[in-house]
Amino acid sequence: MPKKPERFWLAALLLAWLIDLLFWNKAVGISFPIFITLLLAVGIGLNWGEGIRPGWKSLLLAAFPLLFSLLAFLRAEPLTQTLSILAALGLLSLLAATYRSGFWVHYRLVDAVVALFNLGIAAFSRQITAGLSRAQPADEPSQTPKSKFIQQAFPILRGLLLALPVVAILAVLLASADMIFAREMKTLLNIFDLNRLPEYLFRMVYILFFGYLLTGVYLHSAFPARQETRPDTEKNWFPSFLGSIEAYIVLGLVNLLFAFFVIIQFRYLFGGSANITETGFTYADYARRGFFELVAVALISLGLYMTLGTVTRRSSAGQRRAFSTLSILLMVQVLIILVSAFQRLFLYESAYGFSRLRTYTHIFIPWLGALLISVIILEIVRRPGRLALALLSMAAGFVLTLGLVNVDGFIVHQNLARARLGFALDGEYLVTLSSDAVQSMVAGWQNADLPDKAREELSAALACRVAIESAKPIPAWQSYHLSQSQALAALKANAPLWKDTPTRLQNGIWMVKLGGKERRCIPTRTFMD
């Protein structure tokens, strides 16, 4: 039981109010790393006040939400920012679930799922089981005036928080029923807009709701309902029911199928363009097909290995060796299939240029390959229970790589490199990219080797960005974003470079003049690939 439960409630309500202050009707910016830092600081402070000191494993895990929150502030590309936010919140949840034990390092997949599920239950119920206040034992020293004041003030605060929504609802109804009452209420509450009372009511309700949830999370992190024991990573969490013969047949047939595919790849794809063209396909046709399907095959194969590893009975050493051999052979062939997928993707990018979806896959395939290599190593050393940690490392590494690479800047850099080789540059696509692309676009325009046609396309894209950005309102300080700030500075400093490319607003749509013709700054077509 906490020494002073009111600390948890007050801290949680304050953080819930900060959610409204930082994020209501505001884009994600500096507000997100501020909020993550405060969540961590308050959690550690509450535990510290209860005499609970975090272990090094918990401190190590706490560093990663901060890192991913900064990544969301650094990059504006949608997937990178979204995954960074989800990673920060997910790792914070894992930290809250394992703050006292630090057992996240030893978790199997099922242990992580159970821990997060228990955290979700605790977010709604831990406040009740912990109690709003503790009874004072008879032999406990008498309370100080300060503690008595807090104990008396806290019920008053709770009463106000409970009464305000009720009063607000009744005030809205009475104001709707009587015009004079509505006028007087408006005079009394001139700092508020009565027309926005439903909004204020909604915001008050979700502040209380988030405060309630955060209280449960903080109480669970400090005082979990049950003392957690360290998971046995090598113990099967699910009763094995499938015979080893059945598993051998499944793995054997899949291995045979993959072996046939691998032979075809060595004969055609890895053998050079002549071997492909003699079959009637062009290199571009062969590159367009299959790399997403091959990535799906790799993921399904990994899931098959994990499922069979869980449900297959392996009572003897011979059965364990046979299963490991077939599993390792499967992973090796999946690695070759991934190389094939990566080769196709490389050909596709060379022929058609870079887009977000292709770049995501370009970054994902090496990380998936690293995960498969980890599976092989864990199977060799007989430690398959560590797969959850490998999966967590792979997912974190993928998101970090997206941020470090700068997806939109990478796309601009690669497509401009293709333009210098004589390929057409799609300037319309460049306009659809985030502010992460702007500095690469400006640097590309300043490159003397850029062909005139590509420079015209790039000038049109930059002129469009200036026009679109100039029409946007100044964001609140909570929405300040490093990438957008740097992009605006680069556009303002280099505006004379594309001054000969005029833009104008027509029926609410920005138009740009290119080659004597006008076109939309934001194209009507979409870019799914």
Side-chain angles (χ1 to χ4, degrees):
M1 295 291 291
K3 299 174 184 176
K4 295 185 177 180
E6 61 272 11
R7 290 179 178 175
F8 288 82
W9 282 91
L10 290 173
L13 287 171
L14 177 61
L15 287 171
W17 172 74
L18 284 173
I19 293 176
D20 181 80
L21 174 67
L22 294 174
F23 301 110
W24 177 261
N25 281 341
K26 299 176 184 71
V28 174
I30 190 66
S31 55
F32 188 67
I34 289 176
F35 183 64
I36 294 297
T37 302
L38 290 174
L39 280 177
L40 280 169
V42 169
I44 294 174
L46 288 173
N47 279 272
W48 198 278
E50 297 292 334
I52 301 169
R53 305 293 186 263
W56 69 269
K57 295 175 184 176
S58 295
L59 291 177
L60 175 64
L61 183 58
F64 285 95
L66 290 174
L67 178 61
F68 284 113
S69 68
L70 290 174
L71 195 61
F73 170 61
L74 177 66
R75 298 297 178 209
E77 189 273 315
L79 183 66
T80 303
Q81 190 176 72
T82 300
L83 291 181
S84 299
I85 292 171
L86 293 177
L89 296 176
L91 290 172
L92 266 181
S93 300
L94 186 60
L95 175 63
T98 62
Y99 185 84
R100 295 193 65 159
S101 67
F103 287 155
W104 64 273
V105 177
H106 309 285
Y107 272 176
R108 299 161 296 183
L109 282 176
V110 65
D111 298 319
V113 172
V114 170
L116 293 176
F117 177 78
N118 289 336
L119 178 67
I121 297 298
F124 289 92
S125 63
R126 195 69 184 93
Q127 309 87 332
I128 300 172
T129 57
L132 296 179
S133 62
R134 67 183 182 93
Q136 185 177 355
D139 57 347
E140 186 173 308
S142 60
Q143 294 177 316
T144 64
K146 179 180 178 182
S147 62
K148 287 182 178 180
F149 172 79
I150 294 176
Q151 187 175 11
Q152 293 172 358
F154 194 66
I156 297 174
L157 176 62
R158 290 202 306 270
L160 289 173
L161 291 174
L162 292 173
L164 285 176
V166 178
V167 173
I169 293 174
L170 294 176
V172 171
L173 294 175
L174 292 173
S176 300
D178 190 286
M179 297 174 59
I180 298 176
F181 178 80
R183 186 185 64 187
E184 296 300 324
M185 282 291 296
K186 188 172 183 179
T187 302
L188 180 64
L189 303 174
N190 55 5
I191 61 172
F192 295 104
D193 183 356
L194 284 179
N195 294 325
R196 296 180 62 188
L197 276 178
E199 175 193 319
Y200 297 144
L201 178 61
F202 172 74
R203 292 167 68 177
M204 184 182 303
V205 169
Y206 82 64
I207 287 173
L208 294 174
F209 176 73
F210 281 123
Y212 180 83
L213 292 183
L214 286 172
T215 303
V217 170
Y218 281 136
L219 286 171
H220 180 74
S221 70
F223 304 98
R226 291 183 299 273
Q227 187 68 31
E228 187 179 15
T229 57
R230 175 174 168 173
D232 185 355
T233 56
E234 305 313 317
K235 184 178 180 181
N236 201 352
W237 65 274
F238 190 83
S240 301
F241 61 87
L242 187 67
S244 56
I245 298 299
E246 292 91 328
Y248 298 160
I249 291 174
V250 174
L251 289 173
L253 290 177
V254 174
N255 271 309
L256 286 175
L257 175 64
F258 285 179
F260 179 69
F261 182 83
V262 168
I263 291 171
I264 297 296
Q265 298 307 290
F266 275 104
R267 171 67 177 86
Y268 292 102
L269 183 61
F270 300 149
S273 58
N275 293 326
I276 294 178
T277 54
E278 71 181 16
T279 64
F281 296 104
T282 67
Y283 222 32
D285 290 335
Y286 206 73
R288 278 183 84 99
R289 297 287 301 276
F291 58 85
F292 287 122
E293 289 84 349
L294 295 182
V295 173
V297 166
L299 292 173
I300 292 172
S301 301
L302 183 61
L304 175 66
Y305 160 75
M306 294 169 61
T307 303
L308 290 177
T310 300
V311 303
T312 302
R313 294 192 300 269
R314 289 161 283 174
S315 55
S316 66
Q319 290 176 341
R320 289 191 291 270
R321 283 195 299 269
F323 183 86
S324 293
T325 301
L326 289 171
S327 297
I328 291 171
L329 179 60
L330 177 68
M331 294 298 109
V332 170
Q333 293 194 98
V334 171
L335 278 172
I336 298 175
I337 290 174
L338 270 186
V339 173
S340 173
F342 197 76
Q343 177 76 354
R344 290 167 185 255
L345 180 60
F346 181 76
L347 295 174
Y348 197 16
E349 292 166 340
S350 299
Y352 300 102
F354 285 73
S355 67
R356 279 178 175 167
L357 187 57
R358 296 167 205 165
T359 305
Y360 300 152
T361 311
H362 195 107
I363 296 172
F364 180 73
I365 289 177
W367 278 108
L368 181 56
L371 178 61
L372 293 173
I373 293 173
S374 300
V375 170
I376 294 173
I377 295 173
L378 291 174
E379 193 63 43
I380 291 175
V381 300
R382 303 297 174 86
R383 303 293 296 274
R386 295 290 187 177
L387 181 58
L389 186 59
L391 277 169
L392 180 63
S393 302
M394 176 264 181
F398 171 64
V399 179
L400 284 174
T401 306
L402 286 177
L404 294 175
V405 166
N406 181 1
V407 171
D408 286 350
F410 176 81
I411 291 170
V412 172
H413 182 271
Q414 295 298 322
N415 286 342
L416 289 178
R418 292 181 71 254
R420 287 192 288 271
L421 295 176
F423 291 94
L425 178 66
D426 191 346
E428 290 182 281
Y429 182 70
L430 298 184
V431 181
T432 66
L433 300 179
S434 72
S435 56
D436 294 347
V438 170
Q439 291 188 336
S440 295
M441 292 168 66
V442 172
W445 198 99
Q446 295 171 337
N447 193 315
D449 296 335
L450 194 66
D452 292 340
K453 181 62 177 176
R455 191 179 302 278
E456 291 177 1
E457 287 284 344
L458 191 55
S459 296
L462 287 165
C464 283
R465 295 199 76 99
V466 172
I468 294 171
E469 293 296 334
S470 64
K472 292 181 179 179
I474 299 175
W477 68 265
Q478 295 95 325
S479 298
Y480 173 80
H481 197 280
L482 184 61
S483 172
Q484 295 169 357
S485 175
Q486 291 177 338
L488 285 174
L491 290 172
K492 290 179 181 179
N494 296 277
L497 298 178
W498 49 87
K499 59 181 176 60
D500 295 330
T501 306
T503 57
R504 69 183 183 92
L505 191 62
Q506 177 180 314
N507 298 325
I509 300 173
W510 282 102
M511 309 292 291
V512 62
K513 194 168 186 179
L514 181 65
K517 298 181 180 179
E518 279 192 329
R519 73 181 186 198
R520 291 169 174 258
C521 278
I522 301 296
T524 55
R525 61 193 176 102
T526 58
F527 301 89
M528 296 301 295
D529 186 19

